[in-house]
């Protein structure tokens, strides 16, 4: 009964989405306020029904109802409760239901908190949002129904993919989807503006908080996915340029460009056409990521679907929404009035450079990801585009971007003083040179480019601090007044400082981990000792253990340094008998921002076990950086000026607008 109720709720959500996609547009065309307000009611009701459908699927998994195909194929009665819940989106059907639930959530948020929007604009935005929702409701109901029954229910389920039975799965996919799907609001605002033929600074002020919210979630989702792959897959790597990883990176790059472009539009009423195009492209790249994961064209730990019918359906969705929105853009964009002019050396100019470099970087990732797939479709030839291509094309684009980042906030709007900004960044430049000299001396005879990259990272971090010092008048006025000024700075300013500093922090982690990583790979028996980066690790023994739905071999290592015991590490190798698969549970020992990392391989006939031991200097800074960036975004989002958006019109003005 629960499965049928969930399925019925999904059908009702589709019906509401169809109403929401048509009636408000008619209301906007006829200037009928009652019909336009249908969008708000329908969006909230749609959210209610899709939430009920999702709750039904969660209930089926928690109660281990193996009469439902989705539960049978992805669950097990002995699986821990947390993995029963996260297993809901650890498969194709459940993850698509989560995708469309988040889509309905964002539509409901616009309906609930979009009262400051002009009624016609809100009607158009929610209608466009309903178009997207309707397409994905149909996709789920026709090709990916999570509520299908089994005629003769089995006693036990097949269990979830062991690699996905990890706490990271509870965080990574929802975060990633909140980012992916959150950009649908920017897309809906762009299409709504094109339909109305009206776009101005107020539009950018309305769309920027939604874009920022999606960007925060996507940043955290990518970081969480990177850390999950790092400790769960047992390879010790944090980024593999996997096509599905690239599929999440592309909308992040485009979304970052969109945020900065919307800022120019809001402050200077410029870059209108470009901002609308970025809004369309960012969500289009999110849809592309959905296609890559769900179509079956890729084989990856991230990819679920293997049915080509689903791929054709999603391809059709891509064609309709990307092709349709770009066609609408080509038709209406020339009619949009351009905003104010500005000099190349200005804050607007710096943000345009930011946009140029980010979009070119996004294009290189796009080409490197899709070229092998297109070549295989056209010629049947299989090639691999891996890390060397991306490193040699992506990295050079980010070097000028990182050099420019500290200058942007110090330049004035419309016309800036580059020499003056450089003088204010003198302390950052000196700190960068000192960092380069110290790292060069410490690693004399080692990597040549690494000290330069560390210096660039220090320049970015110190540049953010110089911006803060300039704003509060540090060392120019009494300290008490500077502190008072710091407390009075807008949260958006603090957000910019944290986000820019986060870039530098992440770069330090990336350079140190990739350049000075130490490793030991070999077979060890009890009482054998491995030496890595000044540490001595002794294998004390191997112990078998029974878990709730797996058996594991647990290894115990005693870690010593300078003759002193430091800690005990216990990596394990798990065997999931139901799935006939095994996973490696790495052991991590954190020392400041660095980590010791141990993962186990197979056991040989003589009792030795394959062991990988890594020392990863400052590796945690790779993820501290994105967390700082997301925290900066959260600070900006909490700024009342950004949160409130455009001023709410007076009742009389709203009534007059509705009557027009």
């Amino acid at each position: 009964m629960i499965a049928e109720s969930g399925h019925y709720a999904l059908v009702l959500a589709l019906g509401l989405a169809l109403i929401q996609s048509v009636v408000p547009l008619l209301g906007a065309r006829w200037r009928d306020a009652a019909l336009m307000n249908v969008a708000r009611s329908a969006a909230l009701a749609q959210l209610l029904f899709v939430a009920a459908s999702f709750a039904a699927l969660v209930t089926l998994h928690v109660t281990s109802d193996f009469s439902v195909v989705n539960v049978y194929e992805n669950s097990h009665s002995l699986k821990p409760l947390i993995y029963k819940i996260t297993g809901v989106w650890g498969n194709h059907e459940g993850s698509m239901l989560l995708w469309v639930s988040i889509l309905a959530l964002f539509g409901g948020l616009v309906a609930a908190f979009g009262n400051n929007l002009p009624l016609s604009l809100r009607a158009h935005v929610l209608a466009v949002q309903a178009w997207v929702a309707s397409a994905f409701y149909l996709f789920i109901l026709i090709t990916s129904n999570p509520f299908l029954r089994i005629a003769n229910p089995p006693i036990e389920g097949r269990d979830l993919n062991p690699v996905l039975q990890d706490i990271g799965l509870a965080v990574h996919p929802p975060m990633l989807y909140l980012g992916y799907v959150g950009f649908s609001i920017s897309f809906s605002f762009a299409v709504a503006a094109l339909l109305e033929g009206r776009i101005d600074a107020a539009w950018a002020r309305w769309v920027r908080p939604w874009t920022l919210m999606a960007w925060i979630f996507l940043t955290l989702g990518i970081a969480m996915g990177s850390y999950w792959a790092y400790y769960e897959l047992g390879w010790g790597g944090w980024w593999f340029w996997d096509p599905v990883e690239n599929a999440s990176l592309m909308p992040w790059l485009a979304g970052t460009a969109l945020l900065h472009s919307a800022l120019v539009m809001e402050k200077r009423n410029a870059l209108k056409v470009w901002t609308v195009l970025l809004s369309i492209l960012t969500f289009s790249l999110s849809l592309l990521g959905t296609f890559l994961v769900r179509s079956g064209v890729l084989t990856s730990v991230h990819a679920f679907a293997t049915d080509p019918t689903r791929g054709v359906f999603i391809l059709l969705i891509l064609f309709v929404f990307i092709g349709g929105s770009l066609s609408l853009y080509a038709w209406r964009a020339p009619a949009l009035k351009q905003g104010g002019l500005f000099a190349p050396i200005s804050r607007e100019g710096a943000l345009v450079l930011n946009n140029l470099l980010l979009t070119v970087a996004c294009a290189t990732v796009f080409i490197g990801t899709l070229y092998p797939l297109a070549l295989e479709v056209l010629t049947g030839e299989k090639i691999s585009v891996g890390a060397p291509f991306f490193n040699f094309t992506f990295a050079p684009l980010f070097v000028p971007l990182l050099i420019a980042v500290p200058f942007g906030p110090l330049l004035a709007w419309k016309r800036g003083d580059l020499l003056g900004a450089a003088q204010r960044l003198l302390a950052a430049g000196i700190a960068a040179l000192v960092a380069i000299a110290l790292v060069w001396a410490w690693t004399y005879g080692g990597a040549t480019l690494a000290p330069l990259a560390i210096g660039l990272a220090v320049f970015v971090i110190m540049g953010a601090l110089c911006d803060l010092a300039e704003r509060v008048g540090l060392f120019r006025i009494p300290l008490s007044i500077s502190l008072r000024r710091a407390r009075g700075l807008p949260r958006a300013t603090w957000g910019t400082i944290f986000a820019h500093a986060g870039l530098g922090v992440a770069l330090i982690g990336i350079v140190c981990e990739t350049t000075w990583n130490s490793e030991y790979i070999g077979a060890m028996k009890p009482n054998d000792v491995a030496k890595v980066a000044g540490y001595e690790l002794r294998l004390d023994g191997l112990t078998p253990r029974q878990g709730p739905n797996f058996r594991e071999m647990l290894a115990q290592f005693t870690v010593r340094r300078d003759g002193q015991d430091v800690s005990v590490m216990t990596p394990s190798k798990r065997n999931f008998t139901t799935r006939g698969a095994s996973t490696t549970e790495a052991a991590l020992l954190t020392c400041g921002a660095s980590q010791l990392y141990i993962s186990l391989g197979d056991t040989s006939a003589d009792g030795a076990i394959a062991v990988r031991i890594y020392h990863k200097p400052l590796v945690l800074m790779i993820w501290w950086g994105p967390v700082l960036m997301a925290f900066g975004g959260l600070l900006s989002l909490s700024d009342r000026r950004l949160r409130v958006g455009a001023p709410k019109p007076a009742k009389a003005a709203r009534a007059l607008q509705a009557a027009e």
Side-chain angles (χ1 to χ4, degrees), residues 572-596:
S572 69
K573 187 84 171 179
R574 292 180 179 177
N575 181 39
F576 293 77
T577 54
T578 305
R579 278 272 180 173
S582 61
T583 63
T584 296
E585 301 300 313
L588 302 174
L589 175 62
T590 301
C591 308
S594 304
Q595 283 190 329
L596 271 177

Side-chain angles (χ1 to χ4, degrees), residues 609-630:
I609 188 168
V611 175
R612 289 174 177 264
I613 303 174
Y614 302 96
H615 177 255
K616 296 181 172 292
L618 303 185
V619 66
L620 290 180
M621 295 182 74
I622 295 173
W623 300 290
W624 290 353
V627 170
L628 270 179
M629 293 162 66

